[in-house]
Amino acid sequence: MATTNGSNDLSSEMEVDAFRRLFPLRFHERHLLESIRPDGRPLGRARDTTISLGAVASANGSALAKIGCTTMLAAVKLEVMTPKAESPDEGCIAIDFHMPPICSPLVRPGRPAEAAPVITKQLTDTILSSGMIDLKELSLVSGKAAWMAYLDIYCLDADGALFDAALLSAVAAFSHLQIPVVSLNDDGRIVLISEENSGAMWEKEPVNKEKRKLKLESVPFSLTCLLHKNYILADPSDEEESIMETFLTVVLDSSFQLVSLNKPGGPGLAHTSAIQDCVGINKTESERTSEDIG
């Protein structure tokens, strides 16, 4: 009898899997009628989030961030540059988002992923417009030297909501950033002071005498939602994104003020009530994520 039941269960599982593959939208809509998703989440619930700081030893700041299976590795590297004439007391930030073939079977070797430059621009716009980083914090000597912060983010597993996970990893990497100790030599050039020679005398004048954290303000939180008929699905998986077309990404700062609203795909315009609902879900999930991380 047990063998018969086992065979029936296996047959049933195969039928469900076949239905899911042949009619993915109908499969998901059956779950939506019950206000639940195939992975067991309520419609407005994001996946579990984890962050590991210091994932890249050679970087000045780094983090590994996961939202569900979507995984991002972010690393910040600092280099000394000559500041721009129009902003002599400010450093700069350069952001690059990478999607190597390992992250998804849809990314082919030798062919850059179409989403990569789009997410790169979206990250740059969000981080700069949010006011998270005061570029004056990256200044060393007015008009002569400042820090250029190169942020590289690598997608290791693309399982939906890529921008949300990329932004989370970027914020975490900058929060982990340690600005090195530097001095000016007799030629007026910036010299990095390593731990080995930290006890040596300053050659000319100190610029900063100890490592310091980068002060972050108005930290942005992002949440992407799928809009399908009258349903709103928070933090979509890759499977959900592939069968439902209308996306809405809401970015709030740490005071829950709206930073940006982006609708990258799907027909029509999102109505006001849907936007308000997405903002409300973002607030709830941001608080839950902050508690989980803290």
Side-chain angles (χ1 to χ4, degrees), residues 9-294:
D9 290 343
L10 180 59
S11 176
S12 178
E13 289 178 8
M14 291 177 65
E15 289 177 1
V16 170
D17 186 61
F19 181 77
R20 184 172 189 167
R21 291 174 181 272
L22 293 172
F23 308 103
L25 184 57
R26 288 174 58 188
F27 174 81
H28 280 265
E29 286 180 337
R30 285 189 176 184
H31 285 79
L32 295 179
L33 290 173
E34 303 295 330
S35 297
I36 199 168
R37 294 150 82 170
D39 61 8
R41 281 187 290 156
L43 304 189
R45 175 59 64 88
R47 293 168 291 179
D48 290 338
T49 298
T50 59
I51 294 177
S52 300
L53 300 179
V56 181
S58 59
N60 297 105
S62 62
L64 182 73
K66 297 185 67 176
I67 299 179
C69 291
T70 300
T71 307
M72 300 288 171
L73 178 64
V76 182
K77 195 74 175 176
L78 295 177
E79 292 185 6
V80 177
M81 68 164 203
T82 301
K84 299 176 182 178
E86 60 270 23
S87 51
D89 296 315
E90 294 183 356
C92 286
I93 298 172
I95 300 173
D96 207 355
F97 179 76
H98 310 267
M99 292 187 69
I102 190 177
C103 76
S104 169
L106 300 179
V107 179
R108 303 297 183 184
R111 294 183 182 179
E114 294 181 3
V118 176
I119 295 178
T120 293
K121 185 179 186 307
Q122 195 176 0
L123 285 168
T124 302
D125 293 343
T126 299
I127 289 175
L128 293 180
S129 65
S130 68
M132 180 180 80
I133 297 174
D134 182 357
L135 295 179
K136 292 184 178 180
E137 286 276 305
L138 298 175
S139 177
L140 287 169
V141 180
S142 179
K144 294 183 178 180
W147 291 113
M148 167 65 84
Y150 292 98
L151 170 64
D152 285 285
I153 301 174
Y154 293 88
C155 179
L156 304 183
D157 192 338
D159 188 28
L162 301 188
F163 173 75
D164 300 344
L167 180 61
L168 180 64
S169 70
V171 171
F174 277 120
S175 73
H176 178 254
L177 179 65
Q178 292 272 350
I179 297 180
V181 181
V182 295
S183 176
L184 286 173
N185 65 12
D186 291 333
D187 296 327
R189 295 181 179 275
I190 293 291
V191 178
L192 293 177
I193 306 299
S194 64
E195 294 181 359
E196 290 75 15
N197 62 4
S198 60
M201 293 180 60
W202 304 100
E203 297 186 51
K204 187 173 182 182
E205 59 179 282
V207 177
N208 59 324
K209 293 185 178 182
E210 58 185 16
K211 286 185 178 181
R212 63 181 176 88
K213 290 276 192 178
L214 183 64
K215 185 179 180 181
L216 301 183
E217 303 283 353
S218 301
V219 175
F221 296 93
S222 170
L223 180 68
T224 296
C225 294
L226 277 177
L227 309 181
H228 182 69
K229 296 182 177 179
N230 294 324
Y231 301 104
I232 298 177
L233 287 72
D235 179 30
S237 66
D238 182 60
E239 181 183 11
E240 291 170 333
E241 289 183 348
S242 68
I243 59 177
M244 303 180 199
E245 298 179 342
T246 304
F247 302 82
L248 185 65
T249 300
V250 177
V251 182
L252 304 178
D253 64 18
S254 49
S255 299
F256 300 124
Q257 299 299 307
L258 183 64
V259 174
S260 67
L261 192 66
N262 185 38
K263 182 179 173 295
L269 297 174
H271 50 84
T272 303
S273 61
I275 294 174
Q276 291 174 341
D277 289 342
C278 291
V279 170
I281 294 172
N282 192 339
K283 289 181 179 179
T284 301
E285 290 302 311
S286 296
E287 291 173 344
R288 187 174 71 89
T289 300
S290 298
E291 290 174 359
D292 290 344
I293 296 172

